[in-house]
C-alpha cells in the first residue's frame, strides 16, 4: 500500500509536536487545548493571522520591485541608450525564470519547508533589486552634453555655432567610444537582464506556497476572507511602484555624485534622467525586511480553531436553519473530499520527478481540449497582453504625446489607472457573489465589460497632436520653414552630428537639435525668483534672428492628458470587471480533480503567451514610429523623436486589437454555453419524459445557466 492521498497538512512530514497540538485542540471537549507546558507559551509565529499579514506585505513589496522598472522604462532607455524593443525585452525577462520553474511548484510543494522557501525567494527578489541598481554605480557619471570635454562644465558654449569648434566632433566621438566604454555598457545591460532573471526565479515560491499555506491552516470559513485580504493588499503594489517612480524620477540621476556647480537641467528637459536606481534600493530594502519573519514560521502549524467573530455574527443573523444544515453538510463533504480526490494536484506529492513529467502532458492536453477552458484562457491572454503593454509603455507614451515629465506620468498612472482597475476587480467579484451568477451570466458580464471597454478606447485614437516642426527632420504642412529657407546658415558652424541639446523658437514652434543647428552664437541666462531661463541669441537659421529657448517645444495637446487618463482608467475598470467571472468560468468548466492544475496552466499560459511577448511587441511597434535615432559608437541607440500620429495609432491600435480579440472569445464562449444548454434540454426531454414532473414534485428549481459547463 502506498502513502495515503491527502492534502499537504495531512502528509507524513508533520512533526510530532504539531500533531499533538492539533490533537489536543480538536479532541478535547469544547475545543480547548490540553494542558501541555509547551503550548502554554504560544508563539506569535504560530498564528495564521500573522502569516496573512506578513505575506500581504511581502507580495506588496514584491510587486513594487517588479513594477518599478515599468514606471522608469523611458529613463532607463535614455540612460543606457536602449531601444523600446530592448527595454520591452528587459521588462519581460523576469517571466523567463518564473515560467521555467512554476510548473514544478506543485511537485515540490509538500516536500519542502514552505515558509523558509518563501523567505529564500524573497531574499532572491531583494538581491535582484540590488543588481538592478548596480549599473548606476559601475558606470561613468551621466553626461547630457556630449560636446563638452570631461573637464568642463556641461551645457557650456561647446554647443554654440563657433568656427573654432570644427575639430571638436572627432575628438569627442573618439573619447566617448573607447573599448572600455563599450564594454562597460554591455556589462551594465547584461547585469540588468541577469537581475530580471533572478527576480523571476525568486518570485516562483512566494504566491503559490503562501496561498496553499494559508488554505491549509486557516479555518475553512476564514480562508476566503484571508485570501481576499491578501489579494486586496497585493493589488496596491503596482500603484505604489508608480508612485515611488514619480518621486524618485524628480531627483537627478547622479544625486550621489553631483558635479561642482550643479547642473543646468530641469525635469522638463528631454535630456533629464531621474534617479531610477534609487527606487530599486528602497524596494529591495522593503522586500528584505518582509522576508525576515518567514524564517521563524513553522513548517506546519495547528489548524485555526475558531471562525472570526464578526463573520459568525453575520452568518447568525442571515442564515436560516436550512442554510445551516446545508453548511454543515458541505463542511462534512469538504472534510471528506480530500480522500476521494485523485487529481494530479493530489497525487503529485507521491510521484517521482520522472513520473510527474510523464503524467503532466497527458493532463495538460486533456484540460486544453475543453473548449470553454481554452477560450477563457485565450481571452485572458489577450487581456493580459493589453495590460502588459499598457503598464510597460504608457508612461513613455504620455511623455511623448502630451509633453509631461516622467515623474508626473507615473503619478497619473499610480493615482488614476491603478485604483480604478482595483475597483473593477472588486466590482466584478461583488456582482458574481451578489447576483449568484452562473456560467451563462458570467459570460454575459464578461462580454458586456469588454464591449464597453472597447467602445471607450475609440476616442483615444483622436486625443493627441502631430509632432511639431523639427528643423531638418520633420516639416509640418503650413508651418514656417526653418533650415529649408536658409540652407547654408549653419555651414560655418561644424555642428557635431551626435549632439542633442534641443532649443525651441516659440513664435513658430520650430525645434532645432542644438543651438548650433539654429546658427546661434551666444548664450544668456535670465535669472528669476524660482528658476532661471536659458536663451540662445544671434541665431542665423531662425527667421528674424530672434532668440530661442533652451528645451523642446511643448505639445499643443498637453491639456488632453487628464481626459485621456480618465478614459484609460474607465476602460481599465471595465476590463477588470471580467477578472472574477472569467476565473469562475474556468473553475466551473473543468473536472473537479483538475481545478488546481487548470489554474496553474492558466497562469503559465498567460506568462508564456502574454506577459513575455507583449512588452516586446509593443516596444517593436513603438520603434517603427521613430523618425530620428541617436547614434552611440556607430550603433543605433535611444529614439529622440517620434511621429506622434503614427505612435498614437499603433500603440492604441495594438490595445484595440487585444480588446477586440478578448471580446470575440467571450462571444464564442456565450454561443457554446447556449448550445450546450439546448443540447442538455433536448437530451433530458428525449431520454427522460417524466424528468420535469419529478423535478416539480421534488421542488427542485435549477436554472439552465447553473448547469455544468
Amino acid at each position: 500500500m502506498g502513502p495515503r492521498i491527502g492534502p499537504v497538512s495531512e502528509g507524513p512530514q508533520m512533526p510530532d509536536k504539531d500533531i499533538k497540538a492539533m490533537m489536543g485542540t480538536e479532541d478535547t471537549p469544547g475545543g480547548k487545548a490540553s494542558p501541555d507546558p509547551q503550548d502554554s507559551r504560544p508563539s506569535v509565529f504560530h498564528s495564521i493571522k500573522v502569516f496573512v499579514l506578513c505575506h500581504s506585505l511581502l507580495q506588496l513589496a514584491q510587486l513594487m520591485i517588479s513594477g518599478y522598472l515599468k514606471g522608469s522604462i523611458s529613463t532607463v532607455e535614455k540612460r543606457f541608450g536602449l531601444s523600446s524593443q530592448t527595454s520591452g525585452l528587459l521588462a519581460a525577462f523576469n517571466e523567463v525564470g518564473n515560467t521555467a520553474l512554476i510548473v514544478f511548484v506543485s511537485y515540490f510543494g509538500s516536500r519542502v519547508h514552505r515558509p523558509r522557501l518563501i523567505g529564500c525567494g524573497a531574499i532572491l527578489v531583494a538581491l535582484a533589486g540590488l543588481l538592478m541598481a548596480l549599473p548606476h554605480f559601475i558606470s561613468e557619471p551621466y553626461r547630457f552634453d556630449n560636446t563638452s570635454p570631461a573637464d568642463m562644465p556641461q551645457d557650456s558654449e561647446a554647443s554654440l555655432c563657433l568656427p573654432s569648434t570644427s575639430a571638436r566632433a572627432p575628438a569627442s566621438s573618439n573619447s566617448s567610444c573607447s573599448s572600455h566604454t563599450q564594454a562597460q555598457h554591455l556589462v551594465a545591460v547584461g547585469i540588468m537582464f541577469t537581475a530580471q532573471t533572478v527576480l523571476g526565479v525568486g518570485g516562483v515560491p512566494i504566491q503559490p506556497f503562501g496561498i496553499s499555506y494559508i488554505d491549509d491552516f486557516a479555518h475553512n470559513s476564514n480562508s476566503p476572507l484571508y485570501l481576499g485580504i491578501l489579494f486586496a493588499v497585493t493589488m496596491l503594489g503596482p500603484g505604489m511602484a508608480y508612485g515611488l517612480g514619480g518621486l524618485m524620477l524628480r531627483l537627478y540621476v547622479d544625486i550621489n555624485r553631483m558635479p561642482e556647480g550643479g547642473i543646468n537641467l530641469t525635469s522638463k528637459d528631454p535630456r533629464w534622467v531621474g534617479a531610477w536606481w534609487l527606487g530599486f534600493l528602497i524596494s529591495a530594502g522593503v522586500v528584505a525586511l518582509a522576508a525576515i519573519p518567514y524564517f521563524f514560521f513553522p513548517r506546519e502549524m495547528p489548524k485555526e480553531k475558531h471562525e472570526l467573530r464578526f463573520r459568525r455574527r453575520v452568518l447568525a443573523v442571515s442564515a436560516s436553519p436550512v442554510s445551516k444544515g446545508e453548511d454543515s453538510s458541505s463542511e462534512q463533504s469538504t472534510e471528506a473530499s480530500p480522500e476521494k480526490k485523485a487529481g494530479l494536484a493530489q497525487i503529485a506529492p507521491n510521484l517521482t520527478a520522472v513520473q510527474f513529467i510523464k503524467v503532466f502532458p497527458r493532463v495538460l492536453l486533456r484540460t486544453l481540449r475543453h473548449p470553454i477552458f481554452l477560450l477563457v484562457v485565450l481571452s485572458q491572454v489577450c487581456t493580459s497582453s493589453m495590460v502588459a503593454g499598457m503598464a510597460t509603455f504608457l508612461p513613455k507614451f504620455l511623455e511623448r504625446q502630451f509633453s509631461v515629465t516622467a515623474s508626473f506620468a507615473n503619478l497619473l498612472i499610480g493615482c488614476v489607472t491603478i485604483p480604478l482597475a482595483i475597483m473593477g476587480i472588486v466590482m466584478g467579484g461583488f456582482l458574481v457573489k451578489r447576483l449568484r451568477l452562473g456560467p451563462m451570466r458570467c459570460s454575459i458580464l464578461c462580454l458586456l465589460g469588454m464591449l464597453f471597454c472597447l467602445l471607450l478606447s475609440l476616442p483615444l485614437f483622436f486625443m493627441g497632436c502631430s509632432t511639431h516642426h523639427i528643423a531638418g527632420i520633420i516639416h509640418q504642412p503650413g508651418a514656417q520653414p526653418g533650415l529649408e529657407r536658409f540652407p547654408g546658415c549653419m555651414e560655418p558652424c561644424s555642428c557635431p552630428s551626435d549632439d542633442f541639446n534641443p532649443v525651441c523658437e516659440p513664435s513658430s514652434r520650430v525645434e532645432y537639435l542644438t543651438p548650433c543647428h539654429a546658427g546661434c552664437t551666444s548664450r544668456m541666462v535670465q535669472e528669476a525668483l524660482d528658476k532661471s531661463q536659458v536663451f540662445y541669441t544671434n541665431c542665423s537659421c531662425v527667421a528674424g534672428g530672434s532668440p530661442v529657448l533652451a528645451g523642446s517645444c511643448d505639445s499643443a495637446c498637453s491639456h488632453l492628458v487628464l481626459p485621456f487618463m480618465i478614459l484609460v482608467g474607465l476602460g481599465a475598470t471595465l476590463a477588470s470587471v471580467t477578472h472574477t467571472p472569467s476565473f469562475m468560468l474556468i473553475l466551473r468548466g473543468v473536472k473537479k480533480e483538475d481545478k488546481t492544475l487548470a489554474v496553474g496552466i492558466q497562469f503559465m499560459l498567460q506568462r508564456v503567451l502574454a506577459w513575455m511577448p507583449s512588452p516586446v511587441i509593443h516596444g517593436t511597434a513603438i520603434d517603427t514610429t521613430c523618425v530620428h535615432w541617436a547614434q552611440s559608437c556607430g550603433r543605433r541607440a535611444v529614439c529622440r523623436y517620434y511621429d506622434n500620429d503614427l505612435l498614437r495609432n499603433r500603440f492604441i491600435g495594438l490595445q484595440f486589437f487585444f480588446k477586440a480579440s478578448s471580446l470575440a472569445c467571450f462571444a464564442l464562449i456565450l454561443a457554446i454555453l447556449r448550445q450546450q444548454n439546448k443540447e442538455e434540454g433536448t437530451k433530458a426531454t428525449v431520454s427522460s419524459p417524466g424528468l420535469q414532473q419529478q423535478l416539480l414534485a421534488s421542488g427542485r428549481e435549477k436554472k439552465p445557466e447553473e448547469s455544468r459547463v
Side-chain angles (χ1 to χ4, degrees), residues 593-608:
E593 62 269 17
D594 291 339
K595 284 184 179 180
T596 303
L597 185 66
V599 174
I601 294 172
Q602 170 205 1
F603 287 122
M604 183 186 69
L605 291 178
Q606 281 182 326
R607 285 188 170 95
V608 174

Side-chain angles (χ1 to χ4, degrees), residues 149-209:
D151 56 350
M152 287 183 60
Q154 299 186 72
D155 209 14
S156 64
E157 283 80 9
S159 60
L160 294 176
C161 177
L162 299 175
S164 59
T165 61
S166 57
R168 66 185 171 189
S172 174
S173 178
N174 292 335
S175 62
S176 61
C177 291
S178 63
S179 58
H180 173 71
T181 304
Q182 296 186 51
Q184 196 177 61
H185 170 79
L186 292 176
V187 169
V189 175
I191 288 176
M192 288 192 290
F193 274 95
T194 304
Q196 285 292 96
T197 306
V198 174
L199 178 61
V201 173
V204 168
I206 292 179
Q207 186 173 16
F209 285 172

